Each structure stands twice: as C-alpha cells, then as structure tokens.
Amino acid sequence: MDVTNPHERNHMRCPIEGSVILITGASAGIGAATARLLASHGATIVLCARRADELAHVRQTMHHAERHLVCVVDVTDAHAVAAMVEQTIATFGRIDAVVCNAGIGVTGPVAELDYGNYLSAMAVNVGGFLHVVSAVNPYFTRQQDGQYIVITSVVGQHALPYTGGYAATKAALERLCEALRIESRGLGITVSVVRPGTVASAFFAHRIGPDREQRRTRSAGMSPQVVARSVVWALRHNQRIVYPRFRDRLLSVVADMFPTWSDAILARTIRWQQKTGDDEASSPAQDT
Ligand SMILES: NC(=O)c1ccc[n+]([C@@H]2O[C@H](COP(=O)([O-])OP(=O)(O)OC[C@H]3O[C@@H](n4cnc5c(N)ncnc54)[C@H](OP(=O)(O)O)[C@@H]3O)[C@@H](O)[C@H]2O)c1
C-alpha cells in the first residue's frame, strides 16, 4: 500500500507523535484525560473549553506543557470556534485531528422536558460539533487529510428513561457523523465515534434540569482514562465505532434483540420521584 496516498487513509495506522490535535471540552473528565494521554504519545494539543483556570491546570499536568495551546472558547459561539481554528493553523501550520468531546446532559421525563433546557444541550452537544466541523473541514479538505473523533454515548443508540433529551442530542450526533463519513469518502477525511457508557466525571453534577431519578443500582462508571485510550485507538486505527467497554456493546446488542424485555428491566430499575414543589428551579442536578 502507498502510505503517502491520503485516500488510503481508511486502511492505515495513523501516527499520533508529531500530530496537532484539537480537543473540545478539555478542561475536565474525558477531554482532560485524552489531552494528557495524547500529549504523552507526542501529540501537540489545542485545549478548548470555557474555564480558563481548569484548562491551565490540565495543560500544566501534560507532557511538554509549554508545547500546547489553551483556547478559552464556548463551542456554542461559531465565531469563537472559527477564530480558534485559525489560531491553531497560524500557530502550528496545520491541524490533523479534532476530538469533539464538549458536552452537557439534560434531565427530565420527556413529557415534562423543559424545551429551553433541551435547546441548551443541543446547542453544546450538536451545535458545538457543527461549528467545529464547519471551521475545520476546509483545512481537512485542502490537506486531503484529517480525522474527526466524536464522543457520543451508548444512549445515542438506546435511550435511558429521564434522560431522553440528552439521548436525542447524542442520536443526532450519531446521524450527523454517519452522513459526514459518507460525504468525506475519497477526501482523506475519516470520522470515528466513541460510545462510552457511564463515566466517573463531573458530568452528572453539571446536567441541566431537575434530578429526581432513582436507580436501584448505579454503576460508579469507568474512569475517563479508559475512554481516552479508546480515543487513541480510534485515532490509530480509523475505526468507525469504538465502545470503550465491551459490556456496553453487549448491552446494546441485547437491547436490539430483546427490546420489550430491555424496556421492562429499565422501567423497573430507573424511576422518577414524585414532584416536590421546588423542582421548577432548574438548578444543576446532583447525581444520586
Ligand atoms: N460522563 C458520562 O457518563 C458520559 C457517558 C457517555 C458520554 N459522555 C460524553 O463525554 C463528553 C465529556 O463528558 P465528561 O464525562 O468528561 O463530562 P465533564 O467532566 O462534565 O466534561 C465536560 C467538558 O465539556 C466542556 N464544555 C461544556 N460545555 C461547553 C461549552 N459550551 N463550550 C466548551 N466546552 C464546554 C466542559 O468544560 P467547561 O465547563 O470548562 O466549558 C468540560 O471540559 C460529553 O460529550 C458527554 O456527553 C459522558
């Protein structure tokens, strides 16, 4: 195989050392773990999120800290995202991959879902992705080379009760990625989705909306480092879909095969408490 031909990219092992990788949502959780891991493999990272202090702290903990660029950007702001991509090109001369990871959860039964909260989550999870793709794709197309790694979720395939709004944002991302992958064929651009199950991060504390969810059991979740390793795998192997944990892949297959049984189990194990009166205040929800 001619490894210099970008059109053969789908079949190549992609080097991480020396590449320039932009990560959205790099100030915490999965994004921060991915930034550290990719830096340890020799990549130069552009760290994007809204909290400057957190970003600076993550950068300090990375291999060759001085090499990486911090961009305090809200991904819902299309102009700011475009400026960040321009700054990346101006600083490093290119961009090899983006990890679209910035995301936020939204809670509530579908029949009571606050439409404003739902739109806020869509603006970050889907709007943020679209702004990044719109800004980066002209560069990827010009250099006939580029990788999108998109952090979706297992709920993009099968919703859980009381987080249907969040699941809808992740399902939308999955369909957008499918279309982008086909549209990018022959251009040297690849699209991978990483579908984590529960991850131990601040994600649950930051969800928008009331949290009256009661679970019989709640798994502590895998560490963000496990997802970071899956991102590295997706980058190296250009794999379309990666499940960081085999158990989540298996559960998805079982839900496809036995949907009625799966619904019954979820309805028994996850419930919603009765309204208490102060639920209308949509303060950040706490994981219980
Ligand atoms: N935790 C889970 O169980 C789980 C499971 C499956 C998938 N996921 C997905 O994994 C991704 C990362 O989640 P996590 O678990 O690492 O949660 P997290 O610790 O809460 O991290 C979320 C990251 O997104 C950033 N972010 C949020 N809104 C943003 C905005 N408007 N502009 C720029 N950055 C923004 C946050 O940074 P700032 O606040 O500094 O902006 C933070 O860096 C999300 O897409 C999430 O949906 C999580």
Side-chain angles (χ1 to χ4, degrees):
M1 181 197 305
D2 173 10
V3 290
T4 60
N5 179 355
H7 302 288
E8 298 293 346
R9 194 171 222 296
N10 285 336
H11 312 288
M12 279 167 39
R13 258 178 86 90
C14 297
I16 289 173
E17 188 176 2
S19 60
V20 177
I21 303 176
L22 189 156
I23 303 175
T24 67
S27 63
I30 295 168
T34 302
R36 291 190 188 101
L37 186 59
L38 287 172
S40 77
H41 283 283
T44 298
I45 308 298
V46 180
L47 301 121
C48 154
R50 294 165 302 177
R51 289 173 295 168
D53 289 351
E54 305 294 329
L55 284 172
H57 171 71
V58 173
R59 182 178 184 254
Q60 261 177 359
T61 61
M62 289 163 64
H63 194 61
H64 285 308
E66 71 293 342
R67 176 194 286 177
H68 313 289
L69 180 67
V70 160
C71 292
V72 181
V73 165
D74 184 329
V75 293
T76 64
D77 180 342
H79 295 294
V81 169
M84 169 176 68
V85 171
E86 275 175 31
Q87 189 186 354
T88 302
I89 301 294
T91 309
F92 301 115
R94 64 176 206 284
I95 181 164
D96 298 296
V98 290
V99 181
C100 299
N101 165 74
I104 191 155
V106 58
T107 60
V110 173
E112 296 169 22
L113 192 58
D114 182 291
Y115 189 56
N117 287 348
Y118 172 65
L119 289 183
S120 297
M122 279 298 266
V124 179
N125 300 358
V126 176
F129 165 79
L130 289 174
H131 297 329
V132 169
V133 171
S134 149
V136 165
N137 217 54
Y139 293 100
F140 279 2
T141 306
R142 205 170 307 146
Q143 64 196 22
Q144 296 199 312
D145 190 17
Q147 287 179 282
Y148 294 105
I149 310 292
V150 185
I151 311 299
T152 60
S153 168
V154 288
V155 301
Q157 300 304 110
H158 297 283
L160 295 177
Y162 317 118
T163 53
Y166 170 65
T169 70
K170 293 297 183 176
L173 259 187
E174 288 273 353
R175 299 294 81 77
L176 288 165
C177 288
E178 277 174 1
L180 180 63
R181 185 183 295 118
I182 301 164
E183 291 159 10
S184 303
R185 270 180 82 86
L187 299 178
I189 302 169
T190 60
V191 182
S192 302
V193 297
V194 176
R195 292 179 185 159
T198 305
V199 180
S201 73
F203 173 83
F204 294 97
H206 292 153
R207 291 191 299 181
I208 322 167
D211 191 2
R212 299 201 303 275
E213 194 182 293
Q214 289 183 313
R215 293 198 188 193
R216 286 207 177 156
T217 57
R218 184 192 284 282
S219 114
M222 69 193 106
S223 81
Q225 286 78 9
V226 174
V227 186
R229 286 199 288 275
S230 294
V231 172
V232 170
W233 177 270
L235 277 165
R236 281 203 199 285
H237 301 278
N238 274 327
Q239 198 162 325
R240 295 164 72 100
I241 298 163
V242 183
Y243 284 86
R245 203 167 45 176
F246 177 72
R247 192 183 89 176
D248 294 318
R249 182 178 198 160
L250 192 64
L251 286 174
S252 181
V253 172
V254 170
D256 274 336
M257 291 174 70
F258 308 105
T260 310
W261 180 75
S262 168
D263 288 357
I265 302 267
L266 287 172
R268 279 175 61 112
T269 49
I270 308 177
R271 294 177 182 277
W272 194 248
Q273 279 175 310
Q274 292 303 306
K275 244 179 177 154
T276 58
D278 50 16
D279 292 323
E280 306 313 326
S282 298
S283 57
Q286 297 300 311
D287 191 19
T288 49

